[in-house]
């Protein structure tokens, strides 16, 4: 018996009518992306700003005051002056600030001299209980110090009658995300979590619900083949989830003002392949469990954990042990997140993303075959 497009269309139409009659499915499909994008997009911000720092200026010169102005103008630090060691110790003991910055005596004299062997010394004491904030604070402070050094070097060169600062000054430029805005990094990756989870949940419930309602036996009594059932159930949910992709894309562009520099067709193609694999995975879960409660639990476990842990969304894959770096290759979330961020923020050539497309394509093919096989086992025990 060959694959019949008419039977596939009939199953798809039945599933379409079922979606229209089920308000829960429509609410999940249409409201969940808006809630997730709003929650993650506005709440998650990896940029630390206005960190309160106590300052003890033991130099009290115009150079030290100019340096503090440069630190405050960065927007990363809110400086609060303290006087004397006792007041500084009390402030740190009360945990009123995550750091104390001490400008050593002779700071201005050493800066004016410009002797690399005797630089102006600044000490930063950071609270290590929050190691993430302490590390980011140290990185930010290094950047501010480089900026201040450039200002002082130009001032020294001008006072000495030189035309410009030394040519050895290093100038940094960040490509694709010049401001290092974490929202540009997070929002393009939200489609990996939202769409992946949504697709898995929607199809994980469909077959399990029919088994619980005893309507699956009616479908299995017809001449419809397992492959036709799988394709017929995938088509309406594919269209519904693809509409959610467009919603997330519009929110990223028009609400969060994320630049889109890549190929729109390439991005839509990646979304289509990723959605297909996620929907097929949901069908596999639904066929195996046959119970809605178990299916929804498996769907959230399979949809959320890989998205957060093994995709690179929160934890860089390069920092993982070698085994887990290879292990993440099994999850399509890793590959689609790479495609999403790359296509959004850079006009990358398709060959650059060939491995990522192969990853999500292989996963989709395996899931579809597995879903058909499991359906065949149930139809013909």
């Amino acid at each position: 018996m060959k694959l019949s497009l008419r039977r596939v269309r009939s199953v798809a139409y039945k599933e379409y009518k079922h979606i229209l009659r089920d308000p829960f499915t429509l609410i999940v499909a249409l409201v969940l992306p808006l809630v997730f994008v709003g929650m993650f997009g506005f709440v998650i911000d990896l940029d630390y700003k206005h960190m309160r720092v106590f300052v003890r200026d033991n130099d009290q010169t115009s150079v030290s005051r100019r340096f503090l102005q440069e630190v405050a103008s960065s927007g990363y630090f809110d400086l609060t002056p303290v006087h004397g060691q006792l007041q500084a110790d009390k402030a740190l003991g009360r945990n009123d600030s995550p750091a104390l910055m001490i400008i050593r005596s002779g700071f201005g004299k050493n800066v004016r001299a410009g002797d690399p062997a005797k630089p102006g010394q600044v000490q930063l004491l950071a609270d290590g209980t929050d190691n993430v904030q302490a590390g980011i604070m140290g990185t930010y402070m290094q950047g501010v110090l480089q900026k201040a050094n450039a200002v002082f070097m130009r001032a020294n060169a001008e006072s000495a009658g030189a035309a410009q600062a030394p040519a050895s000054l290093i100038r940094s430029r960040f490509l694709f995300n010049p401001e290092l805005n974490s929202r540009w990094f997070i929002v393009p990756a939200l489609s990996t979590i939202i769409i992946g989870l949504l697709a898995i949940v929607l199809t994980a419930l469909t077959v399990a619900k029919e088994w619980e309602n005893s309507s699956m036996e009616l479908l299995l009594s017809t001449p419809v083949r397992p492959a036709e059932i799988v394709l017929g159930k995938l088509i309406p949910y594919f269209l519904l989830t693809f509409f959610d992709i467009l919603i997330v894309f519009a929110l990223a562009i028009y609400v969060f003002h994320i630049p889109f520099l890549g190929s729109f067709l390439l991005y839509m193609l990646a979304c289509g392949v990723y959605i297909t694999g996620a929907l097929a995975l949901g069908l596999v879960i639904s066929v195996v469990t046959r119970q809605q409660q178990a299916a929804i639990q498996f769907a959230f476990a399979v949809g959320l954990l890989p998205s957060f842990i093994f995709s690179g969304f929160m934890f860089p894959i390069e920092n993982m042990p070698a085994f887990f770096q290879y292990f993440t290759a099994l999850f399509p979330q890793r590959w689609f997140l790479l495609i999403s961020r790359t296509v959004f923020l850079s006009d990358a050539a398709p060959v650059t993303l060939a491995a990522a497309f192969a990853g999500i394509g292989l996963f989709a093919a395996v899931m579809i075959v597995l879903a058909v096989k499991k359906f065949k086992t149930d139809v013909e025990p």
Side-chain angles (χ1 to χ4, degrees):
M1 187 186 302
K2 296 183 179 181
L3 187 70
S4 171
L5 294 181
R6 182 176 62 85
R7 288 194 289 267
V8 171
R9 187 169 59 248
S10 299
V11 175
Y13 182 74
K14 180 192 78 70
E15 205 65 33
Y16 162 75
K17 299 295 289 185
H18 166 72
I19 293 174
L20 293 182
R21 292 193 304 265
D22 186 5
F24 175 77
T25 301
L26 291 177
I27 291 175
V28 169
L30 301 179
V31 177
L32 194 63
L34 298 176
V35 174
F36 269 41
V37 171
M39 181 174 63
F40 285 107
F42 286 109
V43 173
I44 298 179
D45 190 354
L46 302 180
D47 297 326
Y48 282 78
K49 296 180 180 179
H50 300 288
M51 293 178 286
R52 189 183 182 189
V53 176
F54 289 132
V55 176
R56 200 178 82 210
D57 186 356
N58 293 332
D59 192 52
Q60 295 294 330
T61 62
S62 59
V63 176
S64 65
R65 288 190 290 270
R66 176 67 181 276
F67 170 73
L68 293 178
Q69 290 176 1
E70 292 293 334
V71 174
S73 65
S74 68
Y76 297 127
F77 306 101
D78 291 336
L79 305 181
T80 302
V82 295
H83 306 283
Q85 184 65 38
L86 180 61
Q87 186 177 357
D89 291 341
K90 288 183 178 180
L92 289 178
R94 293 194 303 266
N95 201 21
D96 292 338
S97 170
L100 168 66
M101 184 168 60
I102 302 174
I103 301 178
R104 299 290 181 84
S105 300
F107 176 83
K109 178 181 177 181
N110 294 336
V111 169
R112 288 193 185 95
D115 185 1
K118 295 182 179 180
Q121 295 185 355
V122 178
Q123 183 181 25
L124 181 68
L125 303 176
D127 183 2
T129 56
D130 187 348
N131 63 324
V132 175
Q133 185 183 35
I136 292 177
M137 181 178 294
T139 302
Y140 287 173
M141 189 60 70
Q142 288 293 334
V144 173
L145 287 174
Q146 291 180 4
K147 179 183 176 183
N149 284 333
V151 172
F152 292 140
M153 290 172 66
R154 286 195 300 267
N156 289 338
E158 292 171 358
S159 64
Q164 60 182 6
S168 60
L169 180 65
I170 298 176
R171 301 180 184 275
S172 300
R173 180 185 177 191
F174 297 99
L175 302 178
F176 310 123
N177 190 356
E179 299 178 358
L180 297 181
N181 190 333
S182 64
R183 190 156 288 140
W184 289 19
F185 184 73
I186 291 175
V187 174
L190 288 177
S191 55
T192 303
I193 298 176
I194 298 171
I195 302 305
L197 175 63
L198 183 63
I200 295 173
V201 169
L202 288 178
T203 50
L205 293 176
T206 176
V207 177
K209 183 180 295 184
E210 292 195 53
W211 278 111
E212 290 187 353
N213 296 336
S214 300
S215 59
M216 179 59 71
E217 288 82 353
L218 298 177
L219 181 61
L220 299 181
S221 64
T222 65
V224 183
R225 302 179 64 193
E228 295 164 350
I229 297 177
V230 170
L231 294 178
K233 286 184 172 295
L234 286 181
I235 290 174
Y237 288 106
F238 178 89
L239 297 176
L240 183 60
T241 311
F242 204 88
F243 178 73
D244 291 327
I245 279 281
L246 298 178
I247 293 177
V248 174
F249 181 82
L251 291 175
I253 300 297
Y254 298 108
V255 176
F256 295 100
H257 306 290
I258 310 298
F260 186 81
L261 305 179
S263 169
F264 181 76
L265 293 178
L266 188 67
Y267 180 66
M268 290 295 106
L269 175 62
C271 291
V273 179
Y274 178 63
I275 290 173
T276 302
L279 292 172
L281 174 59
L283 279 180
V284 173
I285 294 174
S286 188
V287 170
V288 171
T289 59
R290 296 191 179 186
Q291 295 180 354
Q292 292 187 69
Q293 185 175 0
I296 197 69
Q297 291 175 353
F298 273 101
F300 272 96
V302 174
L304 283 179
L305 291 180
S307 297
F308 279 101
I309 299 177
F310 299 122
S311 67
F313 179 75
M314 296 300 296
F315 311 106
I317 295 176
E318 295 78 9
N319 295 345
M320 297 180 182
F323 169 78
F324 286 101
Q325 291 186 30
Y326 290 108
F327 183 68
T328 58
L330 300 176
F331 300 97
Q333 290 91 336
R334 169 188 175 173
W335 303 114
F336 182 72
L337 186 142
L338 175 62
I339 295 173
S340 182
R341 281 177 174 165
T342 303
V343 175
F344 257 90
L345 300 179
S346 67
D347 188 13
V351 66
T352 307
L353 302 172
F357 270 95
I360 59 176
L362 180 62
F363 179 84
V366 170
M367 287 299 105
I368 291 177
V369 172
L370 188 59
V372 172
K373 292 295 183 181
K374 289 297 179 180
F375 253 111
K376 183 176 182 180
T377 302
D378 291 333
V379 176
E380 301 175 6

